Amino acid sequence: MGHTDPWPIELLGMIAYAARSLIIPSILHSPTLIPTVLRIAQQMCDDATSHSSQTPSAPIIFIQIVRRLGFIASFFGNIFLRTGGAPEMLDVLPTDRKTGIVQMCARAIDVLRLPLLVQHASEENRTSVINDLTGIFTLMLDEDVSLDGIDPALIRQALESLDRTVHGPPLRQLPLLLVGWKRTMRCYAMSCQESLQTSQTFKRCSACKVISYCGPNCQKLAWAAHKPICKTIAKITRDGGGDIDSEAFRLNCEAGKVDFRDAQVVIDAFSAWRRTHGGIHL
């Protein structure tokens, strides 16, 4: 596989696991680990832009590139999750490494949008990696990690890349997802498999008007999990015009009147809920 042969899936998997298992300061202070991962990411991006779709091995190459970028995103994602609420830990990173992370996120997101990768790699896998990369860069901003010394033009480029890639898809998915979730009439409580077909006591949340419960016991049980998403869905509904079933809501979403970060929160929440309810498809 050309340049990517020295970096097998197994090695990248071990690197991603290391970020979850090792003591984070040992990773942050390592003189070689983060630069090595960034070099691998650069090679993946170079491979993606240099390979021709005419080669017989093209499908395998592009699928492997997405998988490798996924492990790299997991590596940095695990670091950022482990340092959540403690941005000062990330501030110890030299400016050149923070610059490298920003560059890597921006370029990898753009690479994952290349027509050849869209053609050969699954939408689910590409979207998952894009979301992870977006989360890394967003956390750098949200956690107030110092970006002093990083070229402002590079930060603008990364933001534009993020906006082109993430701003659109979640907002296009959102109307269908909300309407579908509303119509599934499956109990939201994680431990409950009741549906409208098995229970006649179903009621919809009066605040978000999307989530359903089979009864008051499940509603109380699930409230802690539903509370944050409830407010987000209600806000999205207001921002989108007040009726998620309407064509106006869909158009308002696509026009960007709904915050794409809110949309991603709802999409992630639905994905998590679906996994606990047997992989429901809308």
Side-chain angles (χ1 to χ4, degrees):
M1 193 176 154
H3 294 303
T4 56
D5 281 337
W7 309 109
I9 289 290
E10 292 79 8
L11 175 60
L12 292 176
M14 290 172 63
I15 291 173
Y17 183 78
R20 185 174 60 190
S21 303
L22 297 178
I23 299 173
I24 290 299
S26 68
I27 294 177
L28 297 179
H29 291 291
S30 168
T32 57
L33 187 52
I34 288 178
T36 296
V37 175
L38 290 173
R39 280 199 302 274
I40 298 171
Q42 181 70 32
Q43 288 187 1
M44 297 302 105
C45 292
D46 289 345
D47 280 355
T49 54
S50 64
H51 275 93
S52 167
S53 63
Q54 304 305 315
T55 59
S57 58
I60 296 174
I61 289 172
F62 292 118
I63 290 170
Q64 294 287 62
I65 286 171
V66 172
R67 290 188 68 192
R68 286 172 165 87
L69 288 176
F71 281 122
I72 290 166
S74 294
F75 170 78
F76 287 107
N78 285 328
I79 290 176
F80 278 70
L81 287 174
R82 291 280 301 279
T83 55
E88 64 276 4
M89 292 181 67
L90 294 173
D91 281 339
V92 305
L93 283 173
T95 298
D96 63 333
R97 294 189 194 176
K98 285 190 274 192
T99 299
I101 293 172
V102 173
Q103 286 176 320
M104 182 274 297
C105 289
R107 188 175 183 209
I109 286 172
D110 281 342
V111 161
L112 288 163
R113 295 170 59 244
L114 291 173
L116 291 176
L117 267 77
V118 172
Q119 177 184 349
H120 293 295
S122 78
E123 177 69 17
E124 181 178 359
N125 289 343
R126 287 191 316 104
T127 300
S128 175
V129 180
I130 286 172
N131 288 342
D132 287 345
L133 291 165
T134 300
I136 292 165
F137 185 60
T138 302
L139 277 171
M140 290 182 78
L141 299 179
D142 290 348
E143 294 290 343
D144 295 323
V145 175
S146 173
L147 300 180
D148 292 344
I150 298 180
D151 184 355
L154 172 61
I155 297 176
R156 284 197 301 273
Q157 174 195 347
L159 285 169
E160 289 169 1
S161 176
L162 181 153
D163 189 64
R164 284 195 305 273
T165 307
V166 183
H167 191 91
L171 293 179
R172 287 198 295 271
Q173 296 174 41
L174 186 65
L176 180 62
L177 183 146
L178 283 176
V179 171
W181 203 355
K182 177 180 176 180
R183 292 176 181 173
T184 58
M185 293 298 284
R186 291 284 297 273
C187 185
Y188 180 77
M190 185 177 297
S191 59
C192 184
Q193 298 297 320
E194 294 282 2
S195 68
L196 186 60
Q197 286 71 39
T198 58
S199 172
Q200 299 304 311
T201 60
F202 256 73
K203 290 188 178 180
R204 194 167 281 130
C205 173
S206 61
C208 73
K209 298 180 174 59
V210 170
I211 302 302
S212 298
Y213 298 99
C214 66
N217 288 338
C218 276
Q219 185 172 13
K220 291 177 183 178
L221 182 67
W223 174 239
H226 177 51
K227 184 178 180 180
I229 193 69
C230 181
K231 293 180 179 179
T232 303
I233 293 175
K235 178 177 180 293
I236 285 172
T237 303
R238 290 193 303 271
D239 293 346
D243 181 4
I244 65 171
D245 293 283
S246 69
E247 178 69 5
F249 180 80
R250 183 185 69 79
L251 294 174
N252 285 336
C253 284
E254 293 188 359
K257 293 184 179 180
V258 170
D259 191 319
F260 80 92
R261 294 177 182 82
D262 290 338
Q264 193 61 59
V265 166
V266 172
I267 291 169
D268 290 345
F270 173 76
S271 297
W273 176 79
R274 184 177 64 177
R275 286 194 295 271
T276 67
H277 285 72
I280 290 172
H281 294 282
L282 300 182

